[in-house]
Structures are given as structure tokens and as C-alpha cells.
Amino acid sequence: MGHFHCCSYSEMSSTSLSFIFFFYLLISSSSWLLCFSSGAGFNLTTIAFDDGYNPLFGDFNLVRSPDGRSVRLLLDVSSGSGFISSSMYEHGFFSAKIKLPSDYTAGVVVALYASNGDVFEKNHDELDIEFLGNVEGKPWRFQTNLYGNGSTSRGREERYRLWFDPSKEFHRYSILWTAKNIIFYVDEVPIREVVRSDEMGGDYPTKPMSIYATIWDASSWATNGGKIKVNYDYAPFTADFKELVLEGCPMDPIQEYPDFTTCKEKDAWLETRNFAVLTPKRRSAMRKFRQHYMYYSCCYDVWRYPVKLPDCVIDPIEKARFNQTGRLRFSGSHKKQAKIAKARRKKKQRAASNERTDV
């Protein structure tokens, strides 16, 4: 048998050391988030599908489990599928454990979101978690977004990667919406908070919303800007939902004289729940997630928003990682970056050689 040679510190190049340090930080942050997200949990009350939801479209591609407590959504060449809550809610905590399709999923979008676009077509509110498929061998990505009163021209997108493969096992994804703030969760890790302010005005969602879950063909934009389409040779694409949670105040959004005081008791109850409290430990977890896994933020996209949105809280550490398009300064593979560096060195060498020849 051969012997493993452990090189000394002096034998290692600075590039190797940098890579090892980066890899160590990535693994450390992933392990920390994994430990945090496998904690005691939120002590949630789950419901059966028929107790809170109805099919929305593609009924033939929606499959309930025998016990009625979970559901599978399918996308094939004939249709996608989705479901909608039986009621609309004025604030709440909306959540599900989801397992995404595996292998080739380019062009596929799976979403868990709140919206009232079917009632308020011109001034709708919306809260989104959207998972964006990818080619085989590349990971799922996802984005969060929000609109208030039809503010679609001021989208507040953020995009992220995950520290796990969401197609291998179930993970919980949640949206907390109160009169004061909005928090998006992956498992028990808060990944984004939007705090309501006077400056936001009508951009903060305020009207009752339904809760949706869908899978659909988004070939026009989901993967690589729409360059890679859904390949139905890999169909059906399946997304599984279980342990559904609907905690909120049901309300009719179009009654002539709505009584908004009816939800005060439920709102007060929501704000005392475990998931509504961002402890120092949770804020630290959110900061770590955003520093390691967020790769686009509207708050750093000065080309799109020369004047930053009023709800943006600029983190100097985050900001240093992004360029003026809101995307990471250093993205792509190590090989690609190495090729760019090599090309630059060659260009400098040619320029120096030409100078010597001229002399």
C-alpha cells in the first residue's frame, strides 16, 4: 500500500490555502445551519388537505395520500397542478414540508405563496417562495418576493442557494405575515425579514390573501434567463407537500363593511408564537445564511433601483459581496475564474513583450 503524504504548510500554495479556508467556512456554516434547523421546532398544528385546501388547477395531476394529510403535485406535458386555501387570511403563518423533483428540472417552478390577485386584479398583494429548477447535476435555487397594492414594478426579489439537496428529503418552508413584519423561513432558520415602515406606504401587503401551492412550466424565465426549457422526456415532475399549516384569521375581503377588529385577537396570538420571535440566535442564523447563500438582492441592485427601497437594510458585509447589478461579485466555478486570471496574465505578458520590442 502507498503512503498518504500530508504536505506541510510551507509546501501549500496560497491558492490551495485560500480554497481550503473557503471550503472550511462553507462546511462550517452548513453544519451550523443544519444543527440550528434540526432543533425543537415550532410546535405547529398541522391539518389534513381537505380541512384547509381545494384543488386549483390540473386536478388530474393532484394526488392525495390515503390518509388525506399530504398531497403530490405533478407537471407533465398536459398540465401543471396546484391547490388553494379554502379561506382568505388577514395575516398568518403558512407552512408546509416540501420535497422537490429530482434530476433534470430546468424550467420547472414549484411555489408556495400568498396572493389576492384573483380578487384585486389591479392592486393585488403577494408573498412568494419560488423554487427554480435546473439542469441535472446543478442545484435547485429559490427566491422570495413581495408586492403590496399592485407594486409589481417595484419587485423585491432575493435569490438564494440551499445548504442541502431539497429533492432528497422533506424540509419545511414557511411565511409569517403580521401587521408589523414578514419573515421567510427554511426549516427553523429565518432567511429574510421585511419590517413594515411608514416609508413603504402601500407596498406592504395589507389585504386578505389566499395561500397557494403550484408546480408549472416556467420555461420563459426560470433557468438561465429562459435559455433552458422544460424537457418533458423527464416528466412527470413531482413535488410532495405534507404537514400543512394554516394559522391565520379567515376574512372575506369583499364584504361591504369588513370588521378588521375581528383579527386583533388572532394577530396578538401570532405575535407571541415561537416563530414570530427573532432571538439573537435566530438573527445570527439569518445573517450567516444570507452571507453564504444569497446570490442576488434587489437592495444592492443600484442599476434597477438608483434610490434604494425604503425597507432595505444595508449590511456592509453583504454589500461588499455584491456588484451594482445586485449579483455576487465573485460567482461561477473556480475553473472559470482561473481561466479569466490566466487570460489576464497572458495579456499583460504580451503587452510587456511588445514594450520591450518597441525599445
Side-chain angles (χ1 to χ4, degrees):
M1 293 179 64
H3 296 283
F4 175 78
H5 172 66
C6 181
C7 59
S8 67
Y9 182 92
S10 60
E11 292 177 293
M12 299 173 69
S13 68
S14 59
T15 302
S16 298
L17 288 170
S18 299
F19 175 77
I20 290 171
F21 183 64
F22 170 79
F23 184 74
Y24 169 77
L25 288 177
L26 188 63
I27 295 300
S28 298
S29 64
S30 299
S31 300
W32 198 91
L33 287 167
L34 181 62
C35 291
F36 186 90
S37 64
S38 59
F42 290 146
N43 190 25
L44 302 172
T45 300
T46 63
I47 61 171
F49 178 80
D50 289 335
D51 289 343
Y53 288 100
N54 294 308
L56 175 65
F57 70 100
D59 295 19
F60 48 88
N61 274 344
L62 186 153
V63 183
R64 295 174 178 82
S65 64
D67 65 1
R69 301 195 68 84
S70 60
V71 63
R72 170 171 287 181
L73 297 181
L74 292 88
L75 166 66
D76 58 26
V77 70
S78 64
S79 176
S81 53
F83 56 87
I84 182 174
S85 59
S86 307
S87 301
M88 300 183 77
Y89 293 87
E90 177 73 13
H91 308 138
F93 182 79
F94 316 115
S95 180
K97 281 193 172 181
I98 306 172
K99 185 166 72 170
L100 299 176
S102 59
D103 302 321
Y104 186 101
T105 55
V108 176
V109 167
V110 176
L112 175 69
Y113 64 103
S115 177
N116 48 34
D118 55 338
V119 178
F120 304 100
E121 295 183 8
K122 295 183 179 180
N123 61 333
H124 84 285
D125 304 303
E126 193 167 317
L127 297 168
D128 295 325
I129 298 177
E130 293 180 306
F131 301 94
L132 314 177
N134 217 330
V135 296
E136 191 167 3
K138 290 193 175 182
W140 278 87
R141 299 143 302 131
F142 74 108
Q143 66 182 25
T144 61
N145 204 349
L146 67 143
Y147 304 109
N149 290 295
S151 59
T152 54
S153 63
R154 295 182 298 281
R156 288 165 159 81
E157 297 97 333
E158 288 187 351
R159 288 193 176 188
Y160 327 86
R161 298 178 179 87
L162 288 160
W163 65 95
F164 54 82
D165 183 346
S167 69
K168 296 297 184 185
E169 56 189 11
F170 283 90
H171 287 268
R172 180 168 294 284
Y173 306 92
S174 311
I175 301 170
L176 171 68
W177 170 43
T178 75
K180 298 177 181 179
N181 66 342
I182 297 159
I183 304 174
F184 296 92
Y185 279 98
V186 176
D187 292 326
E188 282 80 53
V189 179
I191 63 164
R192 181 183 189 181
E193 181 188 25
V194 178
V195 178
R196 186 177 187 176
S197 65
D198 292 339
E199 291 77 14
M200 282 189 74
D203 285 4
Y204 192 88
T206 56
K207 299 185 292 295
M209 292 190 277
S210 299
I211 314 307
Y212 297 79
T214 56
I215 183 171
W216 54 290
D217 184 331
S219 291
S220 62
W221 63 273
T223 307
N224 206 7
K227 295 178 182 178
I228 307 176
K229 314 296 184 184
V230 173
N231 184 343
Y232 285 102
D233 289 342
Y234 293 87
F237 304 97
T238 61
D240 293 297
F241 295 76
K242 70 176 185 178
E243 297 185 29
L244 308 169
V245 177
L246 280 175
E247 294 280 14
C249 182
M251 178 177 280
D252 182 353
I254 56 175
Q255 66 185 75
E256 188 173 0
Y257 300 106
D259 182 5
F260 293 102
T261 63
T262 59
C263 288
K264 283 188 176 181
E265 185 177 335
K266 189 69 173 183
D267 283 356
W269 178 83
L270 275 173
E271 291 175 15
T272 64
R273 295 297 302 251
N274 183 294
F275 47 69
V277 181
L278 287 184
T279 62
K281 184 177 179 181
R282 283 191 178 142
R283 288 199 178 276
S284 178
M286 181 166 66
R287 186 167 57 252
K288 285 178 181 289
F289 172 85
R290 295 173 67 81
Q291 289 175 1
H292 289 90
Y293 296 101
M294 183 170 71
Y295 69 90
Y296 171 82
S297 172
C298 61
C299 290
Y300 303 117
D301 191 343
V302 297
W303 286 10
R304 184 178 181 187
Y305 298 114
V307 178
K308 75 178 179 69
L309 296 166
D311 47 298
C312 285
V313 177
I314 302 302
D315 182 320
I317 296 176
E318 282 182 10
K319 185 178 180 180
R321 298 174 57 239
F322 293 90
N323 59 32
Q324 292 187 334
T325 64
R327 292 186 173 275
L328 288 176
R329 291 179 183 274
F330 306 107
S331 59
S333 67
H334 293 289
K335 288 183 178 179
K336 183 178 180 181
Q337 294 173 24
K339 285 181 179 179
I340 293 171
K342 185 176 181 180
R344 287 175 177 170
R345 284 197 301 271
K346 285 186 175 181
K347 187 176 181 180
K348 286 182 178 180
Q349 290 170 356
R350 284 197 299 269
S353 176
N354 291 337
E355 287 178 5
R356 288 193 297 269
T357 302
D358 292 341
V359 171

mmCIF file of all heavy atoms in Angstrom, residues 293-332:
data_model
loop_
_atom_site.group_PDB
_atom_site.id
_atom_site.type_symbol
_atom_site.label_atom_id
_atom_site.label_comp_id
_atom_site.label_asym_id
_atom_site.label_seq_id
_atom_site.Cartn_x
_atom_site.Cartn_y
_atom_site.Cartn_z
ATOM 1 N N TYR A 293 -25.354 32.187 1.325
ATOM 2 C CA TYR A 293 -26.219 31.547 0.341
ATOM 3 C C TYR A 293 -27.047 32.515 -0.508
ATOM 4 O O TYR A 293 -27.648 32.085 -1.489
ATOM 5 C CB TYR A 293 -27.156 30.552 1.045
ATOM 6 C CG TYR A 293 -26.394 29.424 1.695
ATOM 7 C CD1 TYR A 293 -26.138 29.428 3.064
ATOM 8 C CD2 TYR A 293 -25.897 28.362 0.945
ATOM 9 C CE1 TYR A 293 -25.423 28.408 3.668
ATOM 10 C CE2 TYR A 293 -25.177 27.339 1.532
ATOM 11 C CZ TYR A 293 -24.937 27.368 2.893
ATOM 12 O OH TYR A 293 -24.220 26.362 3.475
ATOM 13 N N MET A 294 -27.111 33.774 -0.169
ATOM 14 C CA MET A 294 -27.849 34.728 -1.003
ATOM 15 C C MET A 294 -26.957 35.170 -2.161
ATOM 16 O O MET A 294 -25.840 35.610 -1.938
ATOM 17 C CB MET A 294 -28.288 35.933 -0.175
ATOM 18 C CG MET A 294 -29.136 36.929 -0.972
ATOM 19 S SD MET A 294 -29.883 38.207 0.082
ATOM 20 C CE MET A 294 -28.421 39.173 0.501
ATOM 21 N N TYR A 295 -27.477 35.059 -3.399
ATOM 22 C CA TYR A 295 -26.654 35.468 -4.536
ATOM 23 C C TYR A 295 -27.270 36.596 -5.357
ATOM 24 O O TYR A 295 -26.661 37.058 -6.327
ATOM 25 C CB TYR A 295 -26.314 34.274 -5.421
ATOM 26 C CG TYR A 295 -27.451 33.669 -6.205
ATOM 27 C CD1 TYR A 295 -27.769 34.116 -7.483
ATOM 28 C CD2 TYR A 295 -28.204 32.616 -5.683
ATOM 29 C CE1 TYR A 295 -28.797 33.542 -8.218
ATOM 30 C CE2 TYR A 295 -29.234 32.040 -6.403
ATOM 31 C CZ TYR A 295 -29.524 32.510 -7.671
ATOM 32 O OH TYR A 295 -30.563 31.940 -8.388
ATOM 33 N N TYR A 296 -28.441 37.067 -4.996
ATOM 34 C CA TYR A 296 -28.991 38.284 -5.606
ATOM 35 C C TYR A 296 -29.879 38.982 -4.594
ATOM 36 O O TYR A 296 -30.635 38.334 -3.857
ATOM 37 C CB TYR A 296 -29.828 37.993 -6.862
ATOM 38 C CG TYR A 296 -30.557 39.244 -7.350
ATOM 39 C CD1 TYR A 296 -29.902 40.188 -8.132
ATOM 40 C CD2 TYR A 296 -31.872 39.499 -6.976
ATOM 41 C CE1 TYR A 296 -30.546 41.365 -8.538
ATOM 42 C CE2 TYR A 296 -32.527 40.664 -7.372
ATOM 43 C CZ TYR A 296 -31.853 41.581 -8.154
ATOM 44 O OH TYR A 296 -32.480 42.750 -8.542
ATOM 45 N N SER A 297 -29.809 40.312 -4.566
ATOM 46 C CA SER A 297 -30.698 41.092 -3.711
ATOM 47 C C SER A 297 -31.047 42.399 -4.402
ATOM 48 O O SER A 297 -30.162 43.112 -4.886
ATOM 49 C CB SER A 297 -30.034 41.396 -2.363
ATOM 50 O OG SER A 297 -30.831 42.312 -1.624
ATOM 51 N N CYS A 298 -32.340 42.703 -4.435
ATOM 52 C CA CYS A 298 -32.790 43.957 -5.012
ATOM 53 C C CYS A 298 -32.198 45.149 -4.260
ATOM 54 O O CYS A 298 -32.039 46.238 -4.830
ATOM 55 C CB CYS A 298 -34.319 44.034 -4.996
ATOM 56 S SG CYS A 298 -35.039 43.960 -3.317
ATOM 57 N N CYS A 299 -31.846 44.955 -2.995
ATOM 58 C CA CYS A 299 -31.333 46.062 -2.185
ATOM 59 C C CYS A 299 -29.953 46.523 -2.643
ATOM 60 O O CYS A 299 -29.551 47.654 -2.355
ATOM 61 C CB CYS A 299 -31.275 45.652 -0.718
ATOM 62 S SG CYS A 299 -32.915 45.466 0.032
ATOM 63 N N TYR A 300 -29.214 45.656 -3.344
ATOM 64 C CA TYR A 300 -27.884 46.025 -3.829
ATOM 65 C C TYR A 300 -27.868 46.234 -5.338
ATOM 66 O O TYR A 300 -26.806 46.431 -5.924
ATOM 67 C CB TYR A 300 -26.876 44.948 -3.411
ATOM 68 C CG TYR A 300 -26.854 44.741 -1.918
ATOM 69 C CD1 TYR A 300 -27.209 43.516 -1.358
ATOM 70 C CD2 TYR A 300 -26.526 45.784 -1.051
ATOM 71 C CE1 TYR A 300 -27.224 43.336 0.018
ATOM 72 C CE2 TYR A 300 -26.534 45.612 0.321
ATOM 73 C CZ TYR A 300 -26.883 44.384 0.850
ATOM 74 O OH TYR A 300 -26.904 44.220 2.216
ATOM 75 N N ASP A 301 -29.048 46.189 -5.946
ATOM 76 C CA ASP A 301 -29.175 46.363 -7.399
ATOM 77 C C ASP A 301 -29.405 47.847 -7.696
ATOM 78 O O ASP A 301 -30.537 48.305 -7.871
ATOM 79 C CB ASP A 301 -30.336 45.517 -7.922
ATOM 80 C CG ASP A 301 -30.371 45.433 -9.440
ATOM 81 O OD1 ASP A 301 -29.720 46.276 -10.088
ATOM 82 O OD2 ASP A 301 -31.054 44.539 -9.973
ATOM 83 N N VAL A 302 -28.315 48.611 -7.772
ATOM 84 C CA VAL A 302 -28.443 50.057 -7.968
ATOM 85 C C VAL A 302 -28.765 50.407 -9.416
ATOM 86 O O VAL A 302 -29.187 51.528 -9.698
ATOM 87 C CB VAL A 302 -27.163 50.800 -7.513
ATOM 88 C CG1 VAL A 302 -26.942 50.607 -6.022
ATOM 89 C CG2 VAL A 302 -25.951 50.322 -8.298
ATOM 90 N N TRP A 303 -28.561 49.479 -10.341
ATOM 91 C CA TRP A 303 -28.981 49.730 -11.725
ATOM 92 C C TRP A 303 -30.507 49.763 -11.792
ATOM 93 O O TRP A 303 -31.082 50.595 -12.479
ATOM 94 C CB TRP A 303 -28.435 48.647 -12.656
ATOM 95 C CG TRP A 303 -26.966 48.777 -12.916
ATOM 96 C CD1 TRP A 303 -26.088 49.606 -12.287
ATOM 97 C CD2 TRP A 303 -26.204 48.052 -13.884
ATOM 98 N NE1 TRP A 303 -24.829 49.444 -12.785
ATOM 99 C CE2 TRP A 303 -24.862 48.503 -13.775
ATOM 100 C CE3 TRP A 303 -26.514 47.067 -14.811
ATOM 101 C CZ2 TRP A 303 -23.848 47.992 -14.579
ATOM 102 C CZ3 TRP A 303 -25.495 46.563 -15.620
ATOM 103 C CH2 TRP A 303 -24.187 47.031 -15.502
ATOM 104 N N ARG A 304 -31.134 48.859 -11.078
ATOM 105 C CA ARG A 304 -32.589 48.783 -11.088
ATOM 106 C C ARG A 304 -33.200 49.840 -10.169
ATOM 107 O O ARG A 304 -34.225 50.432 -10.496
ATOM 108 C CB ARG A 304 -33.018 47.384 -10.654
ATOM 109 C CG ARG A 304 -34.512 47.142 -10.703
ATOM 110 C CD ARG A 304 -34.802 45.712 -10.292
ATOM 111 N NE ARG A 304 -36.219 45.407 -10.334
ATOM 112 C CZ ARG A 304 -36.738 44.261 -9.892
ATOM 113 N NH1 ARG A 304 -35.946 43.330 -9.401
ATOM 114 N NH2 ARG A 304 -38.035 44.048 -9.958
ATOM 115 N N TYR A 305 -32.579 50.037 -9.016
ATOM 116 C CA TYR A 305 -33.101 50.986 -8.023
ATOM 117 C C TYR A 305 -31.986 51.955 -7.617
ATOM 118 O O TYR A 305 -31.312 51.743 -6.598
ATOM 119 C CB TYR A 305 -33.621 50.253 -6.790
ATOM 120 C CG TYR A 305 -34.778 49.319 -7.076
ATOM 121 C CD1 TYR A 305 -34.645 47.943 -6.940
ATOM 122 C CD2 TYR A 305 -36.008 49.822 -7.490
ATOM 123 C CE1 TYR A 305 -35.708 47.088 -7.193
ATOM 124 C CE2 TYR A 305 -37.076 48.976 -7.754
ATOM 125 C CZ TYR A 305 -36.921 47.608 -7.610
ATOM 126 O OH TYR A 305 -37.964 46.775 -7.874
ATOM 127 N N PRO A 306 -31.757 53.024 -8.393
ATOM 128 C CA PRO A 306 -30.735 54.017 -8.010
ATOM 129 C C PRO A 306 -30.982 54.591 -6.622
ATOM 130 O O PRO A 306 -30.049 54.913 -5.896
ATOM 131 C CB PRO A 306 -30.877 55.089 -9.094
ATOM 132 C CG PRO A 306 -31.493 54.380 -10.252
ATOM 133 C CD PRO A 306 -32.414 53.352 -9.659
ATOM 134 N N VAL A 307 -32.261 54.737 -6.261
ATOM 135 C CA VAL A 307 -32.632 55.108 -4.899
ATOM 136 C C VAL A 307 -33.134 53.840 -4.221
ATOM 137 O O VAL A 307 -34.119 53.243 -4.664
ATOM 138 C CB VAL A 307 -33.727 56.195 -4.882
ATOM 139 C CG1 VAL A 307 -34.117 56.510 -3.450
ATOM 140 C CG2 VAL A 307 -33.255 57.445 -5.608
ATOM 141 N N LYS A 308 -32.445 53.403 -3.172
ATOM 142 C CA LYS A 308 -32.782 52.114 -2.572
ATOM 143 C C LYS A 308 -34.205 52.113 -2.011
ATOM 144 O O LYS A 308 -34.729 53.150 -1.591
ATOM 145 C CB LYS A 308 -31.780 51.735 -1.488
ATOM 146 C CG LYS A 308 -31.886 52.474 -0.182
ATOM 147 C CD LYS A 308 -30.844 51.946 0.801
ATOM 148 C CE LYS A 308 -30.902 52.672 2.133
ATOM 149 N NZ LYS A 308 -32.103 52.381 2.901
ATOM 150 N N LEU A 309 -34.805 50.939 -2.029
ATOM 151 C CA LEU A 309 -36.148 50.778 -1.499
ATOM 152 C C LEU A 309 -36.154 51.061 0.001
ATOM 153 O O LEU A 309 -35.183 50.743 0.708
ATOM 154 C CB LEU A 309 -36.642 49.352 -1.769
ATOM 155 C CG LEU A 309 -36.796 48.991 -3.251
ATOM 156 C CD1 LEU A 309 -36.958 47.482 -3.424
ATOM 157 C CD2 LEU A 309 -37.980 49.723 -3.864
ATOM 158 N N PRO A 310 -37.222 51.668 0.522
ATOM 159 C CA PRO A 310 -37.217 52.127 1.915
ATOM 160 C C PRO A 310 -37.085 51.023 2.950
ATOM 161 O O PRO A 310 -36.651 51.269 4.076
ATOM 162 C CB PRO A 310 -38.559 52.854 2.055
ATOM 163 C CG PRO A 310 -39.421 52.300 0.967
ATOM 164 C CD PRO A 310 -38.479 52.013 -0.167
ATOM 165 N N ASP A 311 -37.461 49.787 2.592
ATOM 166 C CA ASP A 311 -37.377 48.696 3.550
ATOM 167 C C ASP A 311 -36.033 47.988 3.520
ATOM 168 O O ASP A 311 -35.812 47.054 4.296
ATOM 169 C CB ASP A 311 -38.489 47.676 3.284
ATOM 170 C CG ASP A 311 -38.592 47.306 1.810
ATOM 171 O OD1 ASP A 311 -38.863 48.223 1.020
ATOM 172 O OD2 ASP A 311 -38.397 46.137 1.453
ATOM 173 N N CYS A 312 -35.121 48.414 2.644
ATOM 174 C CA CYS A 312 -33.817 47.770 2.547
ATOM 175 C C CYS A 312 -32.933 48.176 3.722
ATOM 176 O O CYS A 312 -32.742 49.368 3.988
ATOM 177 C CB CYS A 312 -33.122 48.147 1.239
ATOM 178 S SG CYS A 312 -33.811 47.319 -0.212
ATOM 179 N N VAL A 313 -32.392 47.183 4.396
ATOM 180 C CA VAL A 313 -31.414 47.410 5.453
ATOM 181 C C VAL A 313 -30.063 46.952 4.914
ATOM 182 O O VAL A 313 -29.861 45.771 4.651
ATOM 183 C CB VAL A 313 -31.774 46.626 6.734
ATOM 184 C CG1 VAL A 313 -30.710 46.814 7.805
ATOM 185 C CG2 VAL A 313 -33.145 47.048 7.246
ATOM 186 N N ILE A 314 -29.165 47.889 4.714
ATOM 187 C CA ILE A 314 -27.881 47.587 4.079
ATOM 188 C C ILE A 314 -26.905 47.034 5.121
ATOM 189 O O ILE A 314 -26.590 47.690 6.112
ATOM 190 C CB ILE A 314 -27.290 48.841 3.407
ATOM 191 C CG1 ILE A 314 -28.265 49.395 2.368
ATOM 192 C CG2 ILE A 314 -25.950 48.510 2.771
ATOM 193 C CD1 ILE A 314 -28.648 48.422 1.276
ATOM 194 N N ASP A 315 -26.444 45.820 4.862
ATOM 195 C CA ASP A 315 -25.446 45.172 5.706
ATOM 196 C C ASP A 315 -24.089 45.345 5.024
ATOM 197 O O ASP A 315 -23.909 44.867 3.896
ATOM 198 C CB ASP A 315 -25.789 43.693 5.858
ATOM 199 C CG ASP A 315 -24.823 42.938 6.762
ATOM 200 O OD1 ASP A 315 -23.614 43.193 6.687
ATOM 201 O OD2 ASP A 315 -25.284 42.080 7.541
ATOM 202 N N PRO A 316 -23.124 46.016 5.642
ATOM 203 C CA PRO A 316 -21.830 46.260 4.980
ATOM 204 C C PRO A 316 -21.132 44.991 4.513
ATOM 205 O O PRO A 316 -20.504 44.972 3.450
ATOM 206 C CB PRO A 316 -21.012 46.975 6.062
ATOM 207 C CG PRO A 316 -22.025 47.583 6.968
ATOM 208 C CD PRO A 316 -23.185 46.647 6.978
ATOM 209 N N ILE A 317 -21.244 43.902 5.300
ATOM 210 C CA ILE A 317 -20.611 42.643 4.908
ATOM 211 C C ILE A 317 -21.303 42.069 3.679
ATOM 212 O O ILE A 317 -20.654 41.585 2.741
ATOM 213 C CB ILE A 317 -20.638 41.639 6.081
ATOM 214 C CG1 ILE A 317 -19.801 42.181 7.245
ATOM 215 C CG2 ILE A 317 -20.108 40.272 5.640
ATOM 216 C CD1 ILE A 317 -19.847 41.314 8.486
ATOM 217 N N GLU A 318 -22.656 42.107 3.679
ATOM 218 C CA GLU A 318 -23.387 41.660 2.488
ATOM 219 C C GLU A 318 -23.033 42.517 1.287
ATOM 220 O O GLU A 318 -22.732 42.006 0.202
ATOM 221 C CB GLU A 318 -24.897 41.747 2.729
ATOM 222 C CG GLU A 318 -25.487 40.642 3.561
ATOM 223 C CD GLU A 318 -26.998 40.784 3.698
ATOM 224 O OE1 GLU A 318 -27.610 41.619 2.995
ATOM 225 O OE2 GLU A 318 -27.572 40.048 4.504
ATOM 226 N N LYS A 319 -23.060 43.830 1.468
ATOM 227 C CA LYS A 319 -22.861 44.758 0.356
ATOM 228 C C LYS A 319 -21.531 44.542 -0.326
ATOM 229 O O LYS A 319 -21.426 44.650 -1.559
ATOM 230 C CB LYS A 319 -22.968 46.196 0.860
ATOM 231 C CG LYS A 319 -22.882 47.240 -0.249
ATOM 232 C CD LYS A 319 -23.046 48.645 0.300
ATOM 233 C CE LYS A 319 -22.947 49.670 -0.829
ATOM 234 N NZ LYS A 319 -23.099 51.054 -0.298
ATOM 235 N N ALA A 320 -20.494 44.212 0.442
ATOM 236 C CA ALA A 320 -19.162 44.008 -0.129
ATOM 237 C C ALA A 320 -19.116 42.838 -1.099
ATOM 238 O O ALA A 320 -18.221 42.763 -1.955
ATOM 239 C CB ALA A 320 -18.155 43.796 1.001
ATOM 240 N N ARG A 321 -20.081 41.930 -0.996
ATOM 241 C CA ARG A 321 -20.088 40.737 -1.849
ATOM 242 C C ARG A 321 -20.792 40.964 -3.180
ATOM 243 O O ARG A 321 -20.692 40.143 -4.084
ATOM 244 C CB ARG A 321 -20.775 39.577 -1.116
ATOM 245 C CG ARG A 321 -20.078 39.154 0.165
ATOM 246 C CD ARG A 321 -20.883 38.114 0.925
ATOM 247 N NE ARG A 321 -21.139 36.945 0.113
ATOM 248 C CZ ARG A 321 -22.356 36.491 -0.191
ATOM 249 N NH1 ARG A 321 -23.429 37.137 0.233
ATOM 250 N NH2 ARG A 321 -22.499 35.413 -0.932
ATOM 251 N N PHE A 322 -21.520 42.097 -3.317
ATOM 252 C CA PHE A 322 -22.368 42.296 -4.488
ATOM 253 C C PHE A 322 -21.868 43.457 -5.346
ATOM 254 O O PHE A 322 -21.307 44.427 -4.843
ATOM 255 C CB PHE A 322 -23.816 42.561 -4.062
ATOM 256 C CG PHE A 322 -24.482 41.375 -3.425
ATOM 257 C CD1 PHE A 322 -24.430 41.173 -2.060
ATOM 258 C CD2 PHE A 322 -25.150 40.442 -4.203
ATOM 259 C CE1 PHE A 322 -25.022 40.074 -1.466
ATOM 260 C CE2 PHE A 322 -25.751 39.332 -3.626
ATOM 261 C CZ PHE A 322 -25.686 39.157 -2.255
ATOM 262 N N ASN A 323 -22.109 43.324 -6.657
ATOM 263 C CA ASN A 323 -21.809 44.441 -7.546
ATOM 264 C C ASN A 323 -23.074 45.265 -7.765
ATOM 265 O O ASN A 323 -24.095 45.035 -7.123
ATOM 266 C CB ASN A 323 -21.208 43.943 -8.872
ATOM 267 C CG ASN A 323 -22.151 42.999 -9.606
ATOM 268 O OD1 ASN A 323 -23.377 43.136 -9.523
ATOM 269 N ND2 ASN A 323 -21.600 42.035 -10.336
ATOM 270 N N GLN A 324 -23.016 46.220 -8.693
ATOM 271 C CA GLN A 324 -24.126 47.160 -8.842
ATOM 272 C C GLN A 324 -25.369 46.556 -9.484
ATOM 273 O O GLN A 324 -26.416 47.192 -9.516
ATOM 274 C CB GLN A 324 -23.658 48.378 -9.644
ATOM 275 C CG GLN A 324 -22.641 49.226 -8.889
ATOM 276 C CD GLN A 324 -22.323 50.513 -9.614
ATOM 277 O OE1 GLN A 324 -22.451 50.602 -10.837
ATOM 278 N NE2 GLN A 324 -21.916 51.524 -8.871
ATOM 279 N N THR A 325 -25.280 45.332 -9.983
ATOM 280 C CA THR A 325 -26.454 44.657 -10.530
ATOM 281 C C THR A 325 -27.194 43.854 -9.463
ATOM 282 O O THR A 325 -28.201 43.216 -9.763
ATOM 283 C CB THR A 325 -26.062 43.696 -11.671
ATOM 284 O OG1 THR A 325 -25.224 42.658 -11.139
ATOM 285 C CG2 THR A 325 -25.309 44.428 -12.769
ATOM 286 N N GLY A 326 -26.688 43.885 -8.231
ATOM 287 C CA GLY A 326 -27.304 43.110 -7.166
ATOM 288 C C GLY A 326 -26.859 41.674 -7.132
ATOM 289 O O GLY A 326 -27.324 40.899 -6.294
ATOM 290 N N ARG A 327 -25.917 41.297 -8.021
ATOM 291 C CA ARG A 327 -25.422 39.925 -8.049
ATOM 292 C C ARG A 327 -24.040 39.845 -7.415
ATOM 293 O O ARG A 327 -23.350 40.846 -7.267
ATOM 294 C CB ARG A 327 -25.375 39.392 -9.490
ATOM 295 C CG ARG A 327 -26.769 39.216 -10.074
ATOM 296 C CD ARG A 327 -26.730 38.560 -11.446
ATOM 297 N NE ARG A 327 -28.075 38.264 -11.911
ATOM 298 C CZ ARG A 327 -28.750 37.169 -11.603
ATOM 299 N NH1 ARG A 327 -28.193 36.244 -10.846
ATOM 300 N NH2 ARG A 327 -29.970 36.976 -12.045
ATOM 301 N N LEU A 328 -23.631 38.632 -7.083
ATOM 302 C CA LEU A 328 -22.338 38.435 -6.452
ATOM 303 C C LEU A 328 -21.208 38.948 -7.335
ATOM 304 O O LEU A 328 -21.230 38.788 -8.552
ATOM 305 C CB LEU A 328 -22.117 36.947 -6.168
ATOM 306 C CG LEU A 328 -22.951 36.327 -5.046
ATOM 307 C CD1 LEU A 328 -22.684 34.833 -4.966
ATOM 308 C CD2 LEU A 328 -22.633 36.979 -3.713
ATOM 309 N N ARG A 329 -20.197 39.556 -6.700
ATOM 310 C CA ARG A 329 -19.028 39.995 -7.447
ATOM 311 C C ARG A 329 -18.239 38.801 -7.967
ATOM 312 O O ARG A 329 -17.711 38.814 -9.066
ATOM 313 C CB ARG A 329 -18.108 40.825 -6.540
ATOM 314 C CG ARG A 329 -18.662 42.176 -6.134
ATOM 315 C CD ARG A 329 -17.692 42.897 -5.228
ATOM 316 N NE ARG A 329 -18.239 44.159 -4.774
ATOM 317 C CZ ARG A 329 -18.158 45.308 -5.454
ATOM 318 N NH1 ARG A 329 -17.547 45.325 -6.632
ATOM 319 N NH2 ARG A 329 -18.675 46.422 -4.966
ATOM 320 N N PHE A 330 -18.134 37.760 -7.147
ATOM 321 C CA PHE A 330 -17.332 36.588 -7.495
ATOM 322 C C PHE A 330 -18.254 35.378 -7.569
ATOM 323 O O PHE A 330 -18.590 34.780 -6.562
ATOM 324 C CB PHE A 330 -16.242 36.362 -6.459
ATOM 325 C CG PHE A 330 -15.396 37.573 -6.234
ATOM 326 C CD1 PHE A 330 -15.529 38.313 -5.071
ATOM 327 C CD2 PHE A 330 -14.496 37.986 -7.191
ATOM 328 C CE1 PHE A 330 -14.757 39.442 -4.864
ATOM 329 C CE2 PHE A 330 -13.716 39.118 -6.991
ATOM 330 C CZ PHE A 330 -13.848 39.851 -5.828
ATOM 331 N N SER A 331 -18.698 35.071 -8.776
ATOM 332 C CA SER A 331 -19.585 33.921 -8.954
ATOM 333 C C SER A 331 -18.997 33.024 -10.022
ATOM 334 O O SER A 331 -18.031 33.349 -10.688
ATOM 335 C CB SER A 331 -20.987 34.379 -9.379
ATOM 336 O OG SER A 331 -20.914 35.107 -10.581
ATOM 337 N N GLY A 332 -19.614 31.871 -10.194
ATOM 338 C CA GLY A 332 -19.120 30.934 -11.193
ATOM 339 C C GLY A 332 -18.129 29.966 -10.583
ATOM 340 O O GLY A 332 -17.773 30.022 -9.416
#
